[in-house]
Amino acid sequence: MLPRPKNTFTLKQDPRETVVRNTKSPKINHRSSGLRCLPGEHVHEESLRVRKRLHFKDGYHDVFGTLYCTSYRIAFRPDCFSSAQDSSEEVIFDSDNDIALPCADRILAVANQSKIKIVTPSLSLKFVPEELLIYCRGFRLMHFHFSDNGLKTEAFSMTNTMAKNQQLISSVVQQEAMLRSLDKTEIATPMDYPTHMFESAMDWENEIERLGATSWRVTPLNERCDTCTSLSKYFVVPCKLLDNDLKNTFAHFQQRRIPRWSWHHPGGGDLLRSAGFQTNTDPDKEDLRSIRSLLFGNHSQSVIIDTTEDLPSVADIQASFLKLRALCCSDTSTPVSNEKWLSNLEGSHWLDHVRSCLKKASEVSMLLSEGNRSIVLQEPEDRDINCLMTSLVQVLSDPHSRTLSGFQSLVQKEWVSAGHPFMQRINHFKQSDKEESPVFLLFLDCVWQCLQQFPTAFEFTESYLLALHDSTYNLFCSTFTHNCPWDRIRGSQRHSSSQTYTPVNGWRDIVREKIFLNGDYKSVEEVKSAPPTVWEWSLFYRHSRRQQFRNPMYHIRKQAVLNGNGLMHNTDMLGVTDPSNVYLLSKGVLVLQSPFFPRKSVTVSKRGGRRSQSIESLLDEEKQLRSNISSQSSMGDLLLPLCVGPWVRLWKRCYLQCATEVQGVNQHPSVASLAEELKILEERLKNLHVNIQDERQNGSVLTDVNGVTSSSYR
């Protein structure tokens, strides 16, 4: 054997190439298998004639199909669809039948209804499973039953493949490879409902024009995301404030997130959002004048509302969500006593958080509608509770936000474009449990509560909210897989190798700066592939499911919709003597903030525990609300939901998806059966009309809708 040279070196193989080459089933034809694979995705296991079990209150129904396990997901494709249009559509990720591997919380293998084991890569199965129960990160449950015609060996292989692929996808290298492949997915498909993405200055200008906010303008100061990396490239500031003066204000707010315009009320008020003041800065007179212009806009009075007061913190929301999920998604390994179920639900404090958010949003909405003032929602980092409150206030106040297009544009404006850290809060890859908190899911629950109390005021339905709720765990769309617009522009979360950081200029990308210097910025953004967003519903849900998104009872309200929240804030009750000052709203009372720029943060410290309201206090509050309903005047299109007692309910259709005895609630009759039932009702109404005419002319005999005759007087 020849001696090995001393100057040789060994090349390590890229682990990503190893996973791609070591596929379990290299002979599978991905085009003919019925599953459309994404760039870099490979089918590792395939099982035919698998039954997906759908549970109802009076039994269950099995749907036959093919089960796949790929390098990215677990997918099921039915052998037949409910309609011909569903079978002709090709979705890249069927949200009703697919699960991204990182979002599979636990997999249970069942045999003979007595052997139940949680599948993990480290522990090998000692029995051949007959059923698989896959619990998702949200509240979904996928139940698969393998056929008894000799395919049980495939069940064993499928189970092991799921466990191994789930372990592989947990590595950082594979996660980044998955996100890169998703960023390369470029599919041109029209949106079902036109949505403003708020990624361009034109979207913001259209919003200003729609609301008639003539004293505000769009600034391109953050067009390169170098002034503040967590803000959008464009945002809205007062017209009287120049960009040169605006630059000096960023350093006086946490994370450089200055006060920005969100919405304009028809009565003249404006809603703003801002991060907390910096405690270690000393602004000069010019900076104070600019900050004052930001807070006041074109108004003579400004009210600062600390959104951390009386509202749950990010940690509170996460702790409550974990208790709620453990209660609603319990299996045989973690049983929950039925006798203590309601007590445990109350102990989770989830409904308390929903109630407090609704009350606070109603309070802000009333205050915004009663005077020509600016309302500034302030949060230390302006990326969590502010997103929830600004969105919820607009849902209550703006009828456009209650339409399908308006609601999707609202989520883009106040969540995606505003820099809500979806990747950290949803924690798809379980990288940092400390940052996890489903703030966006809490917002959807609040909207659902409003939908239940005002069913005709919303263009969308509960099915739409449920689809959006489940889509937050969909890694195959780009809406919820980034922390801010800067991450979305770069196409991945990690900083590239060409990026450097300096204390003065912040993060600098050498490659992007060269592009800017060459003046080819727009062409690069256009050439860069655009992965699909969640609003392209046809890529994730089939036609029969999308038909359930639109509310047939929806109509635009012209009168006030008041349900009596009893928030009697008006100009007289506020007791404002000097309208040219900044006020801080605390415990429903306006307190003069002097000086308006504090030397310390105005954030109220949070206490650890939150106690539920007693029955006596709820009854007293409801009694007061009932007495105030008659004294409330018309407030335009404002919705004021009741937030006490039984009015705040558990979203059963969402949170009890894992409960087999109520899964049937999610299933809806087919379009054909609904058409047949509608035809029968039309015939009955026609017969009723004919019978009424005959009764008026000739008779004393009236036939009812069911064909039952009864005596009646003319």
Side-chain angles (χ1 to χ4, degrees):
M1 179 180 290
L2 294 176
R4 183 177 180 179
K6 296 182 180 180
N7 58 350
T8 60
F9 58 93
T10 302
L11 289 175
K12 293 185 178 180
Q13 187 179 12
D14 191 347
R16 290 171 290 179
E17 299 180 0
T18 305
V19 177
V20 173
R21 294 174 183 175
N22 294 339
T23 56
K24 288 284 185 178
S25 304
K27 296 182 180 181
I28 293 179
N29 188 344
H30 296 166
R31 294 184 180 179
S32 62
S33 63
L35 180 68
R36 180 179 181 178
C37 293
L38 298 173
E41 183 182 18
H42 299 269
V43 177
H44 290 186
E45 197 67 42
E46 178 181 357
S47 297
L48 304 175
R49 300 295 294 172
V50 177
R51 289 176 288 174
K52 180 184 177 182
R53 182 153 294 180
L54 304 176
H55 294 269
F56 297 87
K57 293 182 178 180
D58 55 351
Y60 61 84
H61 173 68
D62 289 339
V63 178
F64 285 88
T66 305
L67 183 63
Y68 302 91
C69 182
T70 73
S71 53
Y72 292 162
R73 55 177 159 169
I74 301 170
F76 177 80
R77 290 296 175 267
D79 292 340
C80 59
F81 296 92
S82 58
S83 65
Q85 190 167 358
D86 286 350
S87 59
S88 63
E89 290 182 335
E90 186 177 15
V91 296
I92 63 172
F93 183 86
D94 192 346
S95 297
D96 288 330
N97 296 305
D98 294 0
I99 307 172
L101 284 173
C103 298
D105 187 54
R106 62 186 184 274
I107 303 175
L108 269 64
V110 182
N112 298 326
Q113 297 182 354
S114 59
K115 297 180 180 180
I116 302 176
K117 184 178 181 181
I118 299 179
V119 179
T120 58
S122 58
L123 299 177
S124 60
L125 282 175
K126 297 182 180 180
F127 60 88
V128 178
E130 298 177 358
E131 303 176 44
L132 285 180
L133 298 176
I134 304 176
Y135 289 85
C136 305
R137 289 283 308 282
F139 293 89
R140 293 174 57 208
L141 170 64
M142 303 285 281
H143 187 184
F144 298 105
H145 194 282
F146 293 91
S147 302
D148 300 329
N149 53 358
L151 296 179
K152 290 186 178 181
T153 55
E154 292 190 7
F156 185 85
S157 177
M158 175 67 71
T159 305
N160 290 332
T161 303
M162 289 180 182
K164 292 179 181 179
N165 287 5
Q166 195 176 20
Q167 184 184 30
L168 289 174
I169 204 68
S170 62
S171 65
V172 177
V173 176
Q174 292 305 313
Q175 293 169 10
E176 294 178 353
M178 180 178 179
L179 292 177
R180 280 196 298 269
S181 66
L182 297 179
D183 290 332
K184 295 177 182 178
T185 305
E186 186 175 4
I187 302 176
T189 178
M191 292 185 180
D192 293 50
Y193 316 105
T195 303
H196 292 294
M197 307 304 290
F198 289 95
E199 296 175 352
S200 64
M202 182 63 65
D203 289 341
W204 288 101
E205 291 174 356
N206 291 337
E207 183 73 358
I208 292 176
E209 183 180 359
R210 181 184 72 87
L211 296 171
T214 56
S215 59
W216 301 85
R217 67 176 179 88
V218 181
T219 174
L221 196 58
N222 197 43
E223 191 171 18
R224 301 182 181 182
C225 295
D226 53 354
T227 305
C228 178
T229 56
S230 63
L231 281 180
S232 59
K233 294 188 295 183
Y234 307 96
F235 49 88
V236 180
V237 295
C239 291
K240 61 183 179 181
L241 188 60
L242 301 178
D243 285 347
N244 290 332
D245 299 329
L246 187 62
K247 290 180 181 179
N248 300 326
T249 62
F250 285 87
H252 304 299
F253 293 88
Q254 297 186 31
Q255 293 196 3
R256 302 176 64 84
R257 296 175 66 90
I258 62 173
R260 309 171 313 283
W261 176 87
S262 288
W263 185 69
H264 177 75
H265 192 275
D270 289 290
L271 180 66
L272 288 77
R273 55 183 298 177
S274 170
F277 297 113
Q278 284 283 11
T279 58
N280 55 352
T281 61
D282 188 14
D284 54 20
K285 292 183 178 180
E286 294 296 329
D287 293 348
L288 287 175
R289 186 179 296 108
S290 300
I291 295 174
R292 187 181 183 89
S293 299
L294 283 174
L295 294 176
F296 280 83
N298 65 326
H299 303 285
S300 59
Q301 182 186 129
S302 178
V303 178
I304 297 179
I305 299 178
D306 183 9
T307 55
T308 62
E309 185 183 71
D310 299 327
L311 291 177
S313 64
V314 173
D316 293 336
I317 297 174
Q318 173 63 6
S320 178
F321 182 79
L322 292 178
K323 294 179 181 179
L324 177 67
R325 192 177 184 280
L327 180 65
C328 297
C329 299
S330 60
D331 50 42
T332 55
S333 60
T334 58
V336 177
S337 175
N338 292 332
E339 291 78 7
K340 297 182 179 180
W341 200 93
L342 294 177
S343 299
N344 293 334
L345 175 62
E346 183 181 1
S348 67
H349 298 293
W350 181 260
L351 296 182
D352 292 336
H353 298 336
V354 173
R355 182 179 295 108
S356 61
C357 291
L358 288 174
K359 291 178 64 176
K360 195 73 170 182
S362 300
E363 183 179 353
V364 175
S365 301
M366 289 285 289
L367 189 62
L368 184 63
S369 63
E370 292 177 353
N372 191 355
R373 61 174 70 92
S374 65
I375 306 295
V376 184
L377 301 181
Q378 192 173 54
E379 184 189 10
E381 296 183 357
D382 182 40
R383 301 183 69 178
D384 292 296
I385 306 300
N386 264 10
C387 297
L388 189 153
M389 293 306 300
T390 53
S391 304
L392 196 54
V393 168
Q394 293 178 59
V395 168
L396 298 180
S397 305
D398 189 1
H400 178 72
S401 299
R402 301 193 284 270
T403 64
L404 283 162
S405 298
F407 185 78
Q408 294 181 172
S409 301
L410 175 67
V411 174
Q412 282 291 141
K413 180 177 68 171
E414 301 297 348
W415 293 85
V416 180
S417 179
H420 177 68
F422 279 108
M423 205 63 177
Q424 295 177 358
R425 296 295 180 250
I426 304 299
N427 195 17
H428 301 88
F429 295 106
K430 302 180 182 179
Q431 293 180 344
S432 177
D433 295 339
K434 295 181 179 179
E435 301 293 334
E436 183 177 352
S437 181
V439 184
F440 182 69
L441 303 186
L442 178 62
F443 163 69
L444 294 182
D445 197 326
C446 294
V447 176
W448 178 84
Q449 302 289 341
C450 298
L451 178 61
Q452 300 308 299
Q453 297 190 32
F454 309 99
T456 61
F458 293 84
E459 188 183 10
F460 49 85
T461 62
E462 181 185 15
S463 296
Y464 172 84
L465 290 178
L466 183 61
L468 184 57
H469 185 284
D470 294 340
S471 297
T472 56
Y473 296 96
N474 182 2
L475 289 172
F476 296 85
C477 63
S478 62
T479 305
F480 305 119
T481 56
H482 299 87
N483 286 327
C484 61
W486 172 236
D487 282 342
R488 190 166 286 101
I489 292 174
R490 293 166 56 240
S492 65
Q493 279 198 286
R494 65 179 182 85
H495 296 297
S496 62
S497 57
S498 63
Q499 197 178 57
T500 59
Y501 180 82
T502 58
V504 178
N505 297 323
W507 287 104
R508 296 178 57 197
D509 198 318
I510 301 174
V511 176
R512 289 182 62 84
E513 289 183 359
K514 290 181 179 180
I515 295 174
F516 292 142
L517 292 176
N518 294 333
D520 198 24
Y521 173 72
K522 291 185 178 180
S523 61
V524 171
E525 294 297 329
E526 293 174 357
V527 172
K528 184 178 176 59
S529 61
T533 65
V534 70
W535 315 124
E536 300 170 56
W537 295 108
S538 59
L539 298 178
F540 308 107
Y541 287 95
R542 301 193 181 273
H543 177 73
S544 59
R545 181 69 184 276
R546 300 198 308 272
Q547 279 187 321
Q548 304 171 16
F549 288 174
R550 191 181 295 274
N551 183 8
M553 298 186 299
Y554 168 73
H555 68 276
I556 301 176
R557 295 179 178 269
K558 298 182 180 180
Q559 301 296 330
V561 184
L562 298 179
N563 203 7
N565 214 32
L567 300 171
M568 300 303 295
H569 293 296
N570 52 53
T571 307
D572 296 334
M573 294 183 63
L574 292 177
V576 178
T577 57
D578 187 1
S580 60
N581 283 320
V582 177
Y583 292 86
L584 178 66
L585 181 64
S586 178
K587 303 297 183 180
V589 179
L590 288 182
V591 180
L592 180 63
Q593 182 71 23
S594 181
F596 81 95
F597 187 88
R599 299 307 176 188
K600 61 180 180 179
S601 178
V602 299
T603 301
V604 180
S605 61
K606 297 288 292 181
R607 291 180 292 180
R610 295 179 61 86
R611 298 183 59 186
S612 302
Q613 286 182 282
S614 63
I615 298 179
E616 292 78 6
S617 62
L618 287 175
L619 292 177
D620 293 341
E621 185 175 355
E622 185 172 4
K623 183 178 179 181
Q624 181 182 2
L625 297 182
R626 296 297 183 185
S627 62
N628 289 331
I629 291 178
S630 59
S631 61
Q632 291 179 337
S633 59
S634 176
M635 303 297 295
D637 294 287
L638 180 63
L639 301 181
L640 292 178
L642 279 171
C643 310
V644 295
W647 292 100
V648 178
R649 298 178 291 175
L650 180 69
W651 190 0
K652 294 181 181 179
R653 188 176 169 187
C654 176
Y655 301 137
L656 299 182
Q657 294 183 77
C658 289
T660 56
E661 63 273 10
V662 296
Q663 277 189 336
V665 179
N666 295 340
Q667 305 302 321
H668 293 271
S670 62
V671 178
S673 62
L674 289 176
E676 183 67 23
E677 185 177 356
L678 181 61
K679 184 178 179 180
I680 295 174
L681 291 176
E682 288 178 348
E683 291 292 335
R684 290 182 177 181
L685 289 175
K686 183 178 179 180
N687 294 334
L688 177 61
H689 180 72
V690 172
N691 292 332
I692 290 176
Q693 294 295 332
D694 294 341
E695 187 270 343
R696 287 179 177 177
Q697 294 177 2
N698 307 319
S700 60
V701 179
L702 177 64
T703 304
D704 63 7
V705 180
N706 296 320
V708 180
T709 60
S710 59
S711 298
S712 62
Y713 291 95
R714 183 177 174 84

